[in-house]
Amino acid sequence: MTFLRTLANALLSALFFAVLLAVLVVDLNVNLTVTPRILVVLSGWMAVTYGILAAALTTLIALAFRFLTGGRKTGGFISPSFLMLATSLQTLVALIIIRENTAYFAAFFSPAAQAHLRVQIIALFTAAVAGLVAYFEYRHHKPHRAIWIGYFALLAAVLGLTIYERMTIDVTRQARRTGFYSPTETERRVTLIGIDGLSFDFIQPLAAEGLLPNFAALMENGAWGRIEGFTPNDPFVLRRSLLTGKTPGHHRQISDVRYSLPGLARRLEVVPRFILFRQMTKLGILSIGPNPAPGLAKDLWRITVDAGLEVLDASAAARPAGAASEEKAAPKPDSPFQVIFRDFESETSRLFDPARRVLRADDEAADRCFREKTALQPRLTVMFLEGLSPVQSLFYKYSVPEAFGEIRQEDILRYGPVIRKAYQLYDRILGRAMAALKEDELLAVVSTHGVEPLPYWKRIVEWALGNPDVSAYHEQAPDGAVFFFGGDIAKGSALDAIKIVDVLPTLLYYLRLPVGRDMDGIVRSRLFPRSFTEANPVFTITSYDDMELRPTRVSE
């Protein structure tokens, strides 16, 4: 009977723990309108997964504690002292999970959501401390019924307040037309190239060896520096901030995938970290699909099109519906990829297949981009290349073996040159971009994140999840890289670290377009000589989301 009593109380406390996890899920999904049904369904799934685990662990700990201390048996199937202690400790565990997740996803939260989270954390911590005090008072002094009644009333009030506040947060936002703006026509052009994963830890030593002449030219004759990111360091979210000049809490495009749970009418965009939530896909409970939700903030594409500029987006993922496309051409024997990686054609290791695939795709995408740019002569060209980051994640330990302990020398010799050759590939792509620049054209090369070695605990996790080859990651937002090059750029300028959201305002400024005052970034005027900034003041408007652009032409 002791086991059944303990299990019954553990299940009750675990149900409360499941509700706290459900509250965390809705907190993270800042675009989700919360209803009682959504909370009930989420709490149910948290109960049959994490709740069962919490109940089992609580039962084992309670039985072990009683066995070791010879504690008295529970008087009934519902034990106030057990529930006070268990719910207090589980609230503290939930608070750790909540705190770690809200800190990691901090960029997602609006000021209203941040205020709600502060109140939530303070209230739950107060309830947990009150529960521990009530437990010791009830357990070690005369067990008054008023003690546990008061504690559970406080717990219910705190939980109810937390849920009510989240339900009252308005997640909708509609643009309001407040006027129009007529930008001045300009002959200036911009080419924006995004290369995920660029790191000065590789660029600077390889450039010093003379292996990256075009990166060296960018640093010598342009402006360059580190770019600060944020967590979550998801490439999709980072790119949306790059192209809107806004943090995720303002542009609200927080995921390119959606998560579905049975019975849940609304899909989730974000799931908690640190508790293996995504592993529910292996149980058939959680399913993942694309998230086609449109953005609420105008991005570089929409702004320039509305301003009447000719644009070319050479990135397949960002290519708008109806854009022209070419049939995939056969690999050219003299392409940069084929030339640089010729020594690896006979490699059969499983590591090389994904590396070949992504690097060849970037090489071909760049070739198409430059040919289309020559034909169309657009004012804005955008191209994102995504192959470097996954290559570094697989081959990092062979390029930096000292960070990983013992690695076979033959593997270092075999795999060590891969990252170096990958950087040489992108160096050639940039050389082609630099050679094609016109007189009044700005080239911006941006990597929204860098790369760093996997810590030891993360290597164990990746091995347990079936990814033993992964040796580098960017989850903790290592600095990326940014380069600006062109006739109007101050030469040889080493910039202080700039933010991702500063790139768009700076590009708009160069194109003689106004900067939205609702953007989180600023114009980095230090990129330009003083004579340029004096002749070209910064113009601002309230918001591109609220203003209509009406292109006009200046008189000749």
Side-chain angles (χ1 to χ4, degrees), residues 22-146:
V23 170
L24 170 62
V25 172
V26 298
D27 281 343
L28 297 180
N29 285 270
V30 296
N31 293 324
L32 180 67
T33 300
V34 181
T35 64
R37 175 178 171 78
I38 288 175
L39 279 170
V40 170
V41 173
L42 280 173
S43 298
W45 282 114
M46 296 302 99
V48 300
T49 51
Y50 296 99
I52 291 176
L53 292 175
L57 185 59
T58 302
T59 301
L60 290 175
I61 293 174
L63 292 175
F65 179 78
R66 285 192 177 125
F67 175 78
L68 294 174
T69 61
R72 64 184 182 181
K73 298 180 179 180
T74 306
F77 273 91
I78 304 299
S79 170
S81 62
F82 187 108
L83 291 175
M84 282 190 289
L85 180 60
T87 54
S88 298
L89 295 178
Q90 289 175 357
T91 299
L92 292 175
V93 172
L95 275 173
I96 294 173
I97 298 172
I98 291 171
R99 181 67 186 88
E100 290 299 315
N101 274 275
T102 54
Y104 186 80
F105 291 100
F108 285 7
F109 301 117
S110 65
Q114 292 173 358
H116 157 71
L117 290 172
R118 285 193 294 270
V119 172
Q120 179 186 103
I121 290 174
I122 292 172
L124 289 175
F125 181 76
T126 301
V129 173
L132 293 175
V133 172
Y135 168 78
F136 285 106
E137 182 69 21
Y138 185 88
R139 187 78 172 176
H140 299 289
H141 297 84
K142 189 173 181 180
H144 294 290
R145 178 180 298 180

Side-chain angles (χ1 to χ4, degrees), residues 494-544:
L495 306 171
D496 296 331
I498 73 172
K499 297 179 180 179
I500 289 175
V501 292
D502 294 336
V503 175
L504 178 68
T506 304
L507 298 183
L508 293 178
Y509 166 71
Y510 183 77
L511 289 170
R512 301 185 69 183
L513 291 172
V515 176
R517 288 195 290 272
D518 62 337
M519 292 179 180
D520 297 301
I522 61 174
V523 174
R524 289 288 179 165
S525 56
R526 281 191 55 197
L527 296 173
F528 307 97
R530 185 173 180 179
S531 58
F532 184 91
T533 56
E534 288 178 348
N536 297 273
V538 177
F539 293 99
T540 63
I541 58 175
T542 305
S543 172
Y544 276 101

